[in-house]
Amino acid sequence: MKSLWNHQEASQFTDDLAQRVYTSRLLGRDSSLVLHGGGNTSVKTRVKNVFGEYEDILYVKGSGWDLETIEAAGFSPCRMPHLLRLAQLPALSDPQMANELRACMTNPNAPAPSVEAILHAILPHKFVDHTHADAFIAITNTPTGDQRVKEIYGDRVVIIPYVMPGFKLAKLCAELFPKLATGKTIGMALLHHGLFSFGATAQESYERMIELVTLAEQVFVGAASPPRPGRIMTAGRGGNAAPTQQETLEIATLRREVSEVAGFPVILTVQGDVGSPNREGPATPDHVLRTKRLPLIGRDVKAYAEAYRQYFREYGNPSLTMLDPAPRVILDDTLGLCTVGRSVKEAGIVADIYRHTIDIIHRAEHWQALPARDIFDVEYWDLEQAKLRKAGPPPVFAGEVALVTGAASGIGNACMESFRKRGAAVVGLDLQPCPDGIVCDLTNEAQIRQALAQAIRQYGGLDMLVLNAGIFPQSSSIAELTMEQWRKVMQVNLDATFALMREAYPFLKLAPNGGRVVVIGSKNVPAPGPGAAAYSASKAAVNQLARVAALEWGKDRIRINTLHPNMVFDTAIWTPAVLESRARHYGLTIEQYKTNNLLHIEITSRDVAELAATMCTSIFAKTTGAQVPVDGGNDRVI
Ligand code: ZN
């Protein structure tokens, strides 16, 4: 492991806190040192308060910040004397400690200090760095780990046996460190947890961390690459290989079962090949909080949940409420590694942590996870429980997947945003590339199937479908309309919509909260206009198709409703030139033309998108087969 310290870069970070920011980011750049908000750093400095007096302040990483991207505002300023007095208390519950940490800040608006703040305070050095480095964990999480750590570091680090993070750990370190530290000490090793380094400057502390981790890494240099027994993936699958339709259905079924056990919809991401499986628990307390204690091997979700309940009964006490018993990591013969989360981000973090754990296990000679009891204590840590309670309800579409057609512009694009901001994972289908989009020609059935398979591999299923894609051809009377023009409109507006509905149906049926479809219709359905025969007929046919779907799919808990927008001018077809010519045609100003409805209001793509998203919420739970205008009121429709 190489130091990333660069004098020129570092010289731009002038004061203590800025230097702290710089080397924290250096640590954050390496995922084998810190992963997704893991690890923390601090600096001790003196700050003048409003009375003109100097106070000793510990700036320690605040919760919610990631070392890789941390800024000065991400450090919590805590009064040192208060932290040091806390370390002298005989006992303190972790929620009490968290409360005290917040109370001793000089800025109440700063983020909550890391739970490891006291640990930083008791180390008598200006800069302190803390990581959960993979190489260190690979050494300590073995039956002879304690001995190995001693051999590698000698008297350069103080060794602290495993206790749960929180006040107990801070207290133990406060007692042991002064007794065990010598003139040679440059760090502190917390067994089964991670490493601390410290120094008089940011560079010294950072480079000592690199040195300590390098010493751990060197243990593995030259060691034969361990065999990877029990490969869980068979050749030929995984990676980017196209999944079969059968496999796509199996993924959606698995995700449905996990959601049922969890009690809420989840995102399930197929990550592909994992090498060999880790049947043991997570590597560090930090990992426990995100991955649950064991992976599910195979697909028996119910048996896993039962085993989890048993685990809870064994270790839990009456004051604890069981967390959802759904697995977060699934290892399957054909699908490989699948990860589960309440959001795409969460499922991604689980995958990263899992891969690092696998890497650590491959390096370790005889891997040994933390004992089940210790894992339980971390998993049901009262601090974490309080955090979950405080978090409030999740977004309305958390763990759900929405697919929007015609997503690259106009109403489709606005729908992407409306579903995304309600917490859904969104997939856009369009001929044009767009963010979160899959390029797809909806008139090609094979491409539709391919796009659905891709979305389901990525997110696990399909809960909501917005059928928006359509074309509005140039105005033409029936007398002048060619068969070719007619067929083109029918093909895009009607045939493609039908094909997608048919292909999406088996997946919508598996949606944990019931499938929902919103059809973006048109005012032309109830009130057609001359010169738009093909468009109006295609939209009327889609309308009828949706009504039949409502009749057929009600038994499957799939709701389908139609919106009839009119005069939505912020879309690609309404260029300023077109708008002006239409307004002139009716003898109106542009402003009058835009609000030419009963309510005299303008209708935007966002208005339509917000209603489409609302129709997928429980507000419309008891409505299917309905048609709702979004047109500001139209006397021909009413
Ligand atoms: Zn830690």
Side-chain angles (χ1 to χ4, degrees):
M1 178 164 290
K2 288 223 155 49
S3 165
L4 302 173
W5 176 273
N6 175 311
H7 275 297
Q8 207 169 355
E9 262 178 21
S11 65
Q12 288 156 34
F13 295 85
T14 46
D15 62 12
D16 286 346
L17 184 56
Q19 285 276 301
R20 180 65 284 172
V21 168
Y22 175 59
T23 56
S24 299
R25 288 181 188 168
L26 296 184
L27 289 177
R29 267 198 232 164
D30 191 330
S31 67
S32 73
L33 285 174
V34 294
L35 196 56
H36 295 298
N40 42 59
T41 57
S42 68
V43 61
K44 299 177 186 77
T45 186
R46 309 201 81 201
V47 178
K48 202 197 264 185
N49 64 22
V50 286
F51 306 109
E53 300 153 358
Y54 280 93
E55 285 190 282
D56 287 324
I57 301 295
L58 175 85
Y59 282 94
V60 64
K61 197 200 90 160
S63 67
W65 286 81
D66 216 305
L67 289 183
E68 190 178 2
T69 51
I70 200 159
E71 292 173 29
F75 286 89
S76 317
C78 300
R79 292 190 175 92
M80 276 291 289
H82 196 96
L83 293 175
L84 294 175
R85 278 192 76 188
L86 288 176
Q88 299 306 313
L89 287 175
L92 194 64
S93 78
D94 287 334
Q96 275 177 313
M97 178 185 75
N99 196 47
E100 288 302 317
L101 294 182
R102 271 180 171 283
C104 76
M105 289 200 295
T106 57
N107 173 6
N109 298 317
S114 159
V115 291
E116 281 163 340
I118 298 176
L119 274 168
H120 286 260
I122 55 114
L123 293 170
H125 302 269
K126 190 172 178 71
F127 287 86
V128 177
D129 294 38
H130 172 45
T131 70
H132 308 134
D134 288 354
F136 174 76
I137 302 299
I139 290 164
T140 178
N141 282 22
T142 58
T144 53
D146 311 10
Q147 197 46 47
R148 296 302 302 278
V149 171
K150 265 180 213 136
E151 286 163 19
I152 296 165
Y153 297 119
D155 54 5
R156 305 189 73 197
V157 304
V158 163
I159 295 173
I160 308 288
Y162 180 83
V163 291
M164 197 172 131
F167 185 74
K168 270 197 203 117
L169 176 61
K171 177 95 191 133
L172 185 65
C173 292
E175 274 167 24
L176 292 182
F177 186 83
K179 282 186 205 153
L180 301 175
T182 69
K184 288 184 185 160
T185 308
I186 62 164
M188 180 165 76
L190 308 183
L191 298 177
H192 305 282
H193 176 148
L195 276 169
F196 275 84
S197 67
F198 33 72
T201 66
Q203 183 181 7
E204 184 176 54
S205 181
Y206 166 73
E207 289 187 336
R208 281 174 172 175
M209 176 60 71
I210 299 301
E211 191 187 339
L212 292 176
V213 177
T214 304
L215 286 171
E217 281 184 332
Q218 278 166 357
V219 171
F220 306 106
V221 173
S225 182
R228 299 189 169 198
R231 271 180 81 79
I232 201 136
M233 282 289 291
T234 45
R237 284 279 192 85
N240 297 320
T244 61
Q245 204 160 13
Q246 175 60 26
E247 188 177 289
T248 310
L249 263 178
E250 285 177 19
I251 296 167
T253 305
L254 180 59
R255 181 245 182 181
R256 160 75 178 247
E257 284 173 11
V258 175
S259 299
E260 268 171 11
V261 163
F264 45 77
V266 295
I267 298 293
L268 184 150
T269 304
V270 178
Q271 310 280 357
D273 200 342
V274 287
S276 65
N278 162 26
R279 289 159 202 275
E280 310 283 334
T284 69
D286 192 37
H287 293 182
V288 173
L289 295 171
R290 273 139 163 185
T291 64
K292 285 260 161 85
R293 94 185 218 285
L294 289 174
L296 162 62
I297 314 274
R299 296 187 198 171
D300 196 343
V301 181
K302 290 196 174 74
Y304 179 92
E306 193 36 53
Y308 189 87
R309 285 192 194 97
Q310 182 55 40
Y311 160 75
F312 181 78
R313 279 194 292 270
E314 201 170 319
Y315 298 110
N317 65 52
S319 69
L320 290 177
T321 319
M322 196 179 74
L323 299 172
D324 75 81
R328 292 295 180 268
V329 175
I330 300 170
L331 299 167
D332 181 77
D333 279 339
T334 49
L335 299 175
L337 168 66
C338 304
T339 57
V340 174
R342 199 75 208 266
S343 63
V344 178
K345 190 179 165 198
E346 237 180 71
I349 290 175
V350 170
D352 278 354
I353 289 177
Y354 188 77
R355 288 206 183 93
H356 276 266
T357 308
I358 286 290
D359 186 53
I360 293 168
I361 291 168
H362 283 162
R363 291 204 218 176
E365 259 169 48
H366 299 282
W367 166 260
Q368 197 175 50
L370 281 173
R373 171 85 238 182
D374 289 323
I375 292 180
F376 184 88
D377 288 344
V378 174
E379 195 174 355
Y380 282 88
W381 195 357
D382 44 10
L383 262 186
E384 287 298 314
Q385 300 271 303
K387 217 190 274 175
L388 289 175
R389 277 194 300 274
K390 253 205 296 200
V396 57
F397 293 152
E400 294 201 293
V401 186
L403 194 139
V404 179
T405 68
S409 62
I411 292 172
N413 195 252
C415 283
M416 296 282 281
E417 192 44 43
S418 290
F419 281 82
R420 200 181 278 132
K421 82 171 186 205
R422 287 171 172 78
V426 288
V427 182
L429 302 190
D430 204 295
L431 278 173
Q432 308 300 323
C434 65
D436 293 326
I438 299 174
V439 174
C440 176
D441 177 0
L442 291 166
T443 64
N444 179 325
E445 289 177 58
Q447 284 193 27
I448 289 179
R449 279 193 284 272
Q450 183 58 40
L452 279 171
Q454 194 181 327
I456 281 156
R457 231 181 130 74
Q458 212 168 346
Y459 302 130
L462 177 63
D463 302 277
M464 298 169 283
L465 176 62
V466 180
L467 297 165
N468 163 68
I471 51 173
F472 191 91
Q474 220 176 6
S475 183
S476 169
S477 66
I478 294 173
E480 281 162 0
L481 187 60
T482 67
M483 188 53 84
E484 199 188 347
Q485 287 168 323
W486 170 267
R487 283 195 177 134
K488 177 75 192 158
V489 175
M490 288 300 161
Q491 199 190 11
V492 176
N493 292 6
L494 179 59
D495 300 358
T497 302
F498 155 69
L500 182 54
M501 281 170 68
R502 188 192 59 201
E503 295 302 321
Y505 168 63
F507 303 111
L508 290 168
K509 226 163 54 163
L510 290 168
N513 285 350
R516 284 138 283 164
V517 182
V518 177
V519 178
I520 306 298
S522 168
K523 172 232 134 197
N524 271 292
V525 174
Y535 179 79
S536 300
S538 71
K539 285 291 186 181
V542 168
N543 197 61
Q544 204 69 346
L545 180 63
R547 296 173 72 197
V548 175
L551 294 169
E552 292 185 4
W553 294 354
K555 66 178 193 318
D556 303 308
R557 289 201 312 148
I558 301 172
R559 304 193 276 108
I560 175 163
N561 295 297
T562 303
L563 290 180
H564 292 316
N566 190 32
M567 310 236 283
V568 181
F569 296 115
D570 59 343
T571 60
I573 43 171
W574 288 98
T575 60
V578 172
L579 197 57
E580 207 185 310
S581 91
R582 295 314 294 164
R584 207 173 324 118
H585 177 80
Y586 290 100
L588 299 171
T589 65
I590 289 179
E591 199 46 42
Q592 285 169 331
Y593 181 66
K594 275 184 166 178
T595 57
N596 190 16
N597 54 52
L598 296 173
L599 296 171
H600 297 296
I601 47 172
E602 210 179 311
I603 298 119
T604 63
S605 295
R606 193 177 164 273
D607 297 326
V608 181
E610 285 291 290
L611 188 52
T614 304
M615 284 185 127
C616 292
T617 68
S618 60
I619 293 172
F620 279 82
K622 295 172 185 178
T623 302
T624 190
Q627 300 172 49
V628 180
V630 198
D631 56 9
N634 182 301
D635 51 8
R636 287 188 57 211
V637 173
I638 291 169

